[in-house]
Amino acid sequence: MAVPWEIVISTAGGVAATVVGVFAGGVVGRRGQNEQWVRDNRSTTYATFLREFVAVEIELRTAFLADRPHRLDWAPWNAALVALSLVATREVAAAAAELTGAVGRFAELVARSPKTREDLREVQEVLAAGQLRFVNAARSSLDGSQAPLDWQLGGPPAWAMTEPYAPASAAEGSV
């Protein structure tokens, strides 16, 4: 009995194509799952970092306006920074480092005397700009098609909202 080579070759080709398709599908699927995992972890970590930033900024601003030492527990802030270092892109990490430097300068300002409203205005502007840079870098790292924001949402309030509460100097009393 003669072997029908056309059928054998056709069947072998179909099996090979199926195996290659399954393998390629597995590779593509795995890559998609990895990308989704990274995106989800980045999103959660970025949100945690922003939440801790806002908590630190509010306490520092409150301490400045009340002319008292801050009552910060730095552990959550530092934990958010360490977690960020695991998943952040270089651009996001650079924006976070810049924002961290501004937070450090604000903490030093709170401890300094005398304090002036100009000091507070300057640090609030730096913090607000730093937050916006971080948010835009984070948005871009999560989805490059997102347009950057031109305005800040949350975080340090606009100077017009803080100015009425800011003493000209610590010597004038606290609010």
Side-chain angles (χ1 to χ4, degrees), residues 31-134:
R31 185 179 309 143
Q33 286 177 334
N34 284 345
E35 289 172 2
Q36 184 63 43
W37 180 86
V38 168
R39 203 170 22 257
D40 288 349
N41 278 299
R42 280 182 177 163
S43 179
T44 300
T45 303
Y46 295 168
T48 299
F49 175 78
L50 285 170
R51 183 178 58 244
E52 294 305 326
F53 163 70
V54 168
V56 165
E57 186 277 328
I58 288 171
E59 171 54 24
L60 289 174
R61 182 169 23 96
T62 301
F64 183 98
L65 293 172
D67 196 23
R68 64 161 171 80
H70 69 74
R71 300 179 188 131
L72 283 169
D73 174 6
W74 289 104
W77 169 257
N78 284 312
L81 282 171
V82 170
L84 191 67
S85 71
L86 293 173
V87 297
T89 63
R90 289 181 63 82
E91 294 77 18
V92 173
E98 181 181 325
L99 197 51
T100 298
V103 165
R105 289 189 297 280
F106 197 9
E108 291 169 2
L109 177 61
V110 168
R112 193 172 74 204
S113 188
K115 300 170 179 71
T116 67
R117 65 190 309 124
E118 184 61 21
D119 292 333
L120 182 58
R121 185 192 62 74
E122 288 174 8
V123 77
Q124 275 193 273
E125 287 176 359
V126 169
L127 288 170
Q131 178 190 354
L132 185 59
R133 273 190 291 284
F134 177 85

